[in-house]
C-alpha cells in the first residue's frame, strides 16, 4: 500500500478529510469526466450520483466560466469544485445530465463538434471497435506483435496502440487505424455504433437552456501539437463557430484534445487565444490549477470512492506539495 493511501485510510476516521479540506480550501478542484455507464473503466450512475451528493453537501460547486472570471480578481471562494465533461457522448444526455439537473450542480460540456455533427468517429473508439470485432488472434503493427485472444489482450493492445498513435502526425494516425480494418478483416460500419455515438444539437440546446455551460473540444479531436497550421486554425476556430451557429451560444473555453503536457505547446496556446477564447483547460492536475489561464489543470474523475475523495478533499494536492 502506498504511503499516501495509508495516511488517507488512517486519518479519515480521525477527521483527516476535514483537515485536508481546510488546508486546501483555496485550491479549486476541477474534475474531468468523459463517460457514465456500466462498461469497464466508466463511472456508473450510482457512483456519479454519490459523487454529486458529496460535492453538493460538503463543497461549493461552481461553473467553470464563473470560476475563471472570479479568479482574475484573485478572490477564489473556499472549497470550489467544478465538473467538466469532455467529448459529448450520448450518455451525457441520457445519464449524467438528468443527475446534474436533479442535484442542481453546474457543469461544463466540451464538445467535439464533428462528433456531434455525426461526421467524426472519435479515433480511440474506432481503434477499440476494430480490435474488439476481429476474429483474428494476433496483429503486427510497426514491427510489434499484439495478441488478441481475450478481452484483456484487446484492452492491453488498445492502450499500447493508442499511446503510439498519440506520437504520430494526425494523418499517419488516421492511415494506421484505417489499415487495421483491412489487417484484422473487420468491415467498417456505415455509421458510428450507438455505444460510441454523440449527443445531437437538439440535446445540446436543451442542456444550455438548463444551465449547462458549453465549451469547444476541437472539430475532429486530433493531438493539436501534431497538426499543421491550417488544421490547427480549423480545429480551434471552426469548432467555436459551429457551436454558435447551432445554438447561439458564445463559447468561452477550449479543451485540448488528450490534454497532456506533451499534446500542446505555445503555438497551440497562441492559436486558441487568437480564436477568441477566454481560457483553455488541460487533462492533468497541478498545484496551482488557475496559474496559467491557457492550461488550467484538472483532476481525472475516479470511480473508486477513496481515490475520488483524495482528489476532492485535497489529499492529492497535499501530496503534490510534499514532492
Amino acid at each position: 500500500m502506498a504511503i499516501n493511501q495509508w495516511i488517507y485510510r488512517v486519518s479519515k476516521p480521525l477527521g483527516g478529510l476535514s483537515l485536508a479540506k481546510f488546508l486546501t480550501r483555496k485550491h479549486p478542484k476541477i474534475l474531468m469526466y468523459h463517460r457514465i455507464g456500466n462498461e469497464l473503466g466508466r463511472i456508473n450512475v450510482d457512483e456519479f450520483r454519490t459523487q454529486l451528493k458529496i460535492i453538493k453537501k460538503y463543497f461549493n460547486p461552481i461553473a467553470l466560466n464563473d470560476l475563471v472570471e472570479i479568479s482574475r480578481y484573485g478572490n477564489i471562494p473556499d472549497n470550489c469544485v467544478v465538473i467538466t465533461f469532455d467529448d459529448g457522448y450520448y450518455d451525457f444526455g441520457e445519464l449524467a445530465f438528468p443527475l446534474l439537473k436533479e442535484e442542481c450542480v453546474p457543469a461544463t460540456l466540451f464538445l467535439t463538434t464533428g462528433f456531434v455533427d455525426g461526421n467524426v468517429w472519435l479515433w480511440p473508439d474506432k481503434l477499440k471497435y476494430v480490435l474488439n470485432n476481429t476474429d483474428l488472434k494476433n496483429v503486427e503493427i510497426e514491427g510489434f506483435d499484439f495478441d488478441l485472444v481475450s478481452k484483456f489482450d484487446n484492452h492491453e493492445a488498445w492502450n499500447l496502440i493508442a499511446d503510439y498513435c498519440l506520437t504520430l502526425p494526425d494523418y499517419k494516425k488516421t492511415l494506421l487505424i484505417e489499415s487495421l480494418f483491412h489487417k484484422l478483416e473487420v468491415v467498417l460500419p456505415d455509421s458510428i455504433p450507438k455505444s460510441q455515438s454523440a449527443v445531437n444539437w437538439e440535446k445540446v440546446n436543451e442542456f444550455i437552456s438548463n444551465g449547462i455551460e458549453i465549451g469547444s473540444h476541437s472539430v475532429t479531436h486530433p493531438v493539436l501539437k501534431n497538426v499543421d497550421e491550417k488544421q490547427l486554425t480549423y480545429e480551434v476556430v471552426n469548432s467555436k463557430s459551429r457551436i454558435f451557429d447551432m445554438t447561439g451560444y458564445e463559447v468561452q473555453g477550449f479543451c485540448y484534445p488528450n490534454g497532456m503536457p506533451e499534446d500542446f505547446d505555445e503555438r497551440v496556446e497562441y492559436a486558441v487565444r487568437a480564436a477568441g477564447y477566454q481560457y483553455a483547460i488541460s487533462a492533468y492536475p497541478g498545484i496551482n490549477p488557475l496559474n496559467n489561464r491557457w492550461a488550467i489543470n484538472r483532476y481525472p474523475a475516479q470511480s473508486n470512492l477513496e481515490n475520488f475523495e483524495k482528489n476532492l478533499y485535497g489529499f492529492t494536492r497535499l501530496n503534490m506539495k510534499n514532492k
Side-chain angles (χ1 to χ4, degrees), residues 29-40:
K29 285 82 175 183
I30 305 172
L31 306 180
M32 171 182 62
Y33 293 83
H34 286 84
R35 306 203 64 177
I36 302 296
N38 294 320
E39 288 79 359
L40 177 66

Side-chain angles (χ1 to χ4, degrees), residues 14-271:
L14 303 174
L17 290 182
S18 295
L19 177 59
K21 177 185 172 185
F22 175 77
L23 293 174
T24 62
R25 63 194 182 278
K26 290 299 184 181
H27 174 79
K29 285 82 175 183
I30 305 172
L31 306 180
M32 171 182 62
Y33 293 83
H34 286 84
R35 306 203 64 177
I36 302 296
N38 294 320
E39 288 79 359
L40 177 66
R42 297 185 196 172
I43 295 167
N44 66 42
V45 169
D46 290 337
E47 290 166 341
F48 188 53
R49 180 184 288 110
T50 297
Q51 293 180 7
L52 290 180
K53 287 184 179 297
I54 292 172
I55 291 169
K56 184 177 179 181
K57 184 174 182 179
Y58 297 108
F59 291 85
N60 177 18
I62 185 173
L64 183 55
N65 288 351
D66 292 341
L67 176 62
V68 173
E69 182 64 24
I70 291 170
S71 71
R72 294 181 178 183
Y73 305 99
N75 186 25
I76 298 174
D78 289 354
N79 300 311
C80 287
V81 175
V82 172
I83 290 178
T84 66
F85 274 82
D86 292 2
D87 302 320
Y89 284 100
Y90 80 94
D91 46 73
F92 176 85
E94 292 190 2
L95 302 176
F97 173 64
L99 291 177
L100 290 163
K101 187 177 178 181
E102 177 184 315
E103 296 295 334
C104 297
V105 174
T108 304
L109 176 62
F110 288 93
L111 297 175
T112 304
T113 55
F115 184 40
V116 179
D117 283 334
N119 302 324
V120 172
W121 188 359
L122 296 184
W123 69 264
D125 291 336
K126 196 172 185 179
L127 175 60
K128 188 174 295 184
Y129 179 91
V130 70
L131 293 174
N132 288 343
N133 285 277
T134 183
D135 292 325
L136 302 184
K137 304 303 180 185
N138 181 272
V139 64
E140 183 273 327
I141 300 174
E142 302 292 330
F144 294 95
D145 288 323
F146 297 93
D147 290 328
L148 302 173
V149 178
S150 66
K151 287 185 177 180
F152 176 80
D153 289 333
N154 290 358
H155 186 68
E156 286 295 297
W158 178 83
N159 273 322
L160 293 170
I161 298 170
D163 285 346
Y164 176 64
C165 285
L166 291 172
T167 69
L168 298 175
D170 193 57
Y171 76 94
K172 287 189 177 181
K173 174 197 70 187
T174 300
L175 290 174
L176 172 63
I177 294 173
E178 288 179 352
S179 73
L180 284 177
F181 279 85
H182 175 72
K183 283 187 176 183
L184 292 173
E185 300 175 4
V186 176
V187 176
L188 185 68
D190 293 331
S191 60
I192 301 170
K194 166 65 175 176
S195 63
Q196 298 177 339
S197 64
V199 298
N200 58 39
W201 289 111
E202 181 180 358
K203 292 295 291 185
V204 173
N205 278 287
E206 180 186 351
F207 303 154
I208 293 170
S209 67
N210 282 274
I212 298 295
E213 292 181 350
I214 302 298
S216 166
H217 197 30
S218 79
V219 178
T220 68
H221 204 281
V223 172
L224 294 177
K225 192 175 177 180
N226 294 343
V227 303
D228 61 24
E229 293 298 325
K230 182 178 180 180
Q231 186 178 355
L232 175 58
T233 300
Y234 169 76
E235 298 287 347
V236 300
V237 172
N238 287 43
S239 55
K240 189 174 188 290
S241 62
R242 182 60 173 166
I243 292 170
F244 181 80
D245 289 344
M246 298 304 293
T247 68
Y249 187 91
E250 285 283 2
V251 167
Q252 295 187 42
F254 184 83
C255 176
Y256 298 112
N258 208 55
M260 299 306 288
E262 62 272 17
D263 298 322
F264 60 96
D265 54 17
E266 290 183 359
R267 178 181 72 101
V268 175
E269 289 184 19
Y270 178 81

